[in-house]
Amino acid sequence: MNIHEYQAKDLFRKFNVATSEGKVFENENDAEEYAKSLDVEEYVVKAQIHAGGRGKGGGVKLVKTPEEVREMVKSMLGMTLVTHQTGPEGKLVNKVYVEAASNIKKEYYLSFVTDRATEKNVIIASPEGGVDIEKVAEETPEKLLTQPIDPVVGIQPFHIRKIGYFLGFDKGQVKQLGPLIQGMYNLFVETDCSLVEVNPLIVTDKDEVKALDAKINFDDNAEFRHKEYKELHDPTEEEPSELEAKEWGFSFVKLDGNIGCLVNGAGLAMSTMDIIKHHGAEPANFLDVGGGATVEQVTQAFKMILRDENVKAILVNIFGGIMKCDTIADGIMVAAKEVGIKVPLVVRLEGTNVELGKKMLEESGLNISTASTMKDAALKVVELI
Ligand code: ADP
Ligand code: MG
């Protein structure tokens, strides 16, 4: 789960990660009042959306006076901000963050992520900050330092020195880096993050080290032990169809192709998309109904797939493990009758009671082709479109 910069910065303050003074607003009057109360020469107005690249997209603006803060907040609220991370449709700005501007000497990159390969949390640092870090990783990987942290011993003084010197920090700056990294680490572990990213981390003209941007992702698997996730969740940032699917208990991601996919299991759903692409077509969605889908869920899934006008055929790829294939066939038949599927349907079933399931579909009188292997299913559905 993603949260906004202002929420991430509130958490930074709680964990003693140095950041600028700032506050979030939903109207220009309060923003102006707040700006007047800040004793600074310059302000930054930042659109709050769940996407980066706001600076280049016009969502981060420096202004000089509280009146200009007012005007800027007013013009940002309600605007649709397009950045390289939002897609061409952009994102609606509902909240704006106002903070004291910093005089930046240099921008750096610092993040914490979980590295599944080493089964450790790692710190990633780079002297190339404020830019696309993926580009740095690709073009100049020597400018990235990846430091694994042993979960038993946590952050050690040598980690701080190593990162500090890699970034080219002097002694005074390394000293400030200690509590900052320790704070980020505590935040990462205690609130079960999958990402804490500061891009840019800056050194100011007064040699202060602080986080200028803040991005946090929580690990959804830890939701059950963090009641606060719910309060931090902003449903306006999510795809309505993905939210709807979540309420029904399955995952759905809309894509640009024309073959609708109904699959159980995320891995199987991904390989189904792969095999469709392999045979020259494009999937219209990713849909994982889960291991024990009910007839109601299957029906809802069909409804969501069919809402997409691009869908020219549907491929159902189900492995009957937890559920029996005849139960699934039943679900498909009920759903097909209830929803009224007008496009061709290819069904590939495998697992317990597969013969019975196939027989039921063949005798159902519905426009369904059955397939025995994934390849067979993919070829059939690609041919049908
Ligand atoms: P995004 O990553 O979405 O573009 P950032 O918060 O990283 O947004 O801001 C983009 C750039 O704007 C930063 O790299 C920095 O140069 C500048 N900036 C952001 N906040 C401030 C601030 N408080 N003071 C001065 N410059 C800032
Ligand atoms: Mg940034």
Side-chain angles (χ1 to χ4, degrees), residues 7 31 40 43 64 98-99 138 194 200-201 216 245-246 266 278 310 335 346 354-355 375:
Q7 297 168 316
V40 293
Y43 308 88
K64 298 267 186 210
V98 176
E99 73 176 7
E138 206 168 288
S194 52
L201 172 80
I216 290 182
K246 205 175 167 190
H278 181 72
N310 293 333
V346 176
V354 61
E355 291 311 323
K375 184 176 176 184

Side-chain angles (χ1 to χ4, degrees), residues 10 24 37-38 58 71 75 100 105 125 132 146 151 209 224 233 248 258 269 285 304 340 348 354 359 361 371 385:
D10 284 345
V24 72
S37 75
L38 282 180
E71 288 313 306
S75 72
K105 200 150 85 179
D132 220 350
T146 304
V209 179
F224 71 97
H233 182 230
W248 281 87
N258 52 15
N285 63 279
M304 291 186 64
R348 182 253 176 172
V354 61
K359 193 161 163 264
L361 291 176
I385 61 152

Side-chain angles (χ1 to χ4, degrees), residues 78-100:
M79 83 187 238
T80 301
L81 184 57
V82 180
T83 80
H84 69 273
Q85 287 186 7
T86 60
E89 67 281 6
K91 283 206 154 166
L92 183 66
V93 180
N94 295 316
K95 290 190 175 85
V96 176
Y97 189 66
V98 176
E99 73 176 7

Side-chain angles (χ1 to χ4, degrees), residues 288-309:
D288 167 19
V289 284
T294 62
V295 174
E296 289 75 28
Q297 282 173 315
V298 173
T299 309
Q300 177 64 18
F302 272 116
K303 280 185 187 162
M304 291 186 64
I305 292 173
L306 289 165
R307 226 180 271 157
D308 181 353
E309 283 164 7

